[in-house]
Amino acid sequence: MKESPFNGRRPVFAGDDRTDQDGFGMVAAHGGISIGVGDRVQGQYYLPDVAAVRAWLQRIAALHDSHRA
């Protein structure tokens, strides 16, 4: 998070099982956002499945594109 292109940005991590706990911890340590996918893990936010993650990312991309126009 100290090197380009990450410095000055807020990390976001989505995970769906116990092996993702280290990722959740790292984003928390850097003031980021964690998203638990499904019911096996808990993040700051929740999405029910991979399709919901994909839809969320598409909405973010559309917002980004609309600000570039």
Side-chain angles (χ1 to χ4, degrees):
M1 293 306 303
K2 294 179 182 179
E3 297 180 20
S4 182
F6 306 107
N7 59 332
R9 297 193 178 185
R10 190 172 188 189
V12 176
F13 183 84
D16 66 351
D17 65 32
R18 290 179 38 199
T19 64
D20 296 318
Q21 294 300 327
D22 289 341
F24 289 139
M26 289 301 294
V27 297
H30 289 93
I33 298 169
S34 62
I35 303 165
V37 180
D39 57 4
R40 293 188 291 182
V41 294
Q42 286 189 330
Q44 294 167 303
Y45 297 91
Y46 167 82
L47 289 171
D49 53 33
V50 173
V53 174
R54 186 177 299 115
W56 179 71
L57 290 170
Q58 288 171 335
R59 287 192 302 273
I60 290 171
L63 285 171
H64 179 267
D65 291 344
S66 70
H67 284 84
R68 295 179 69 182

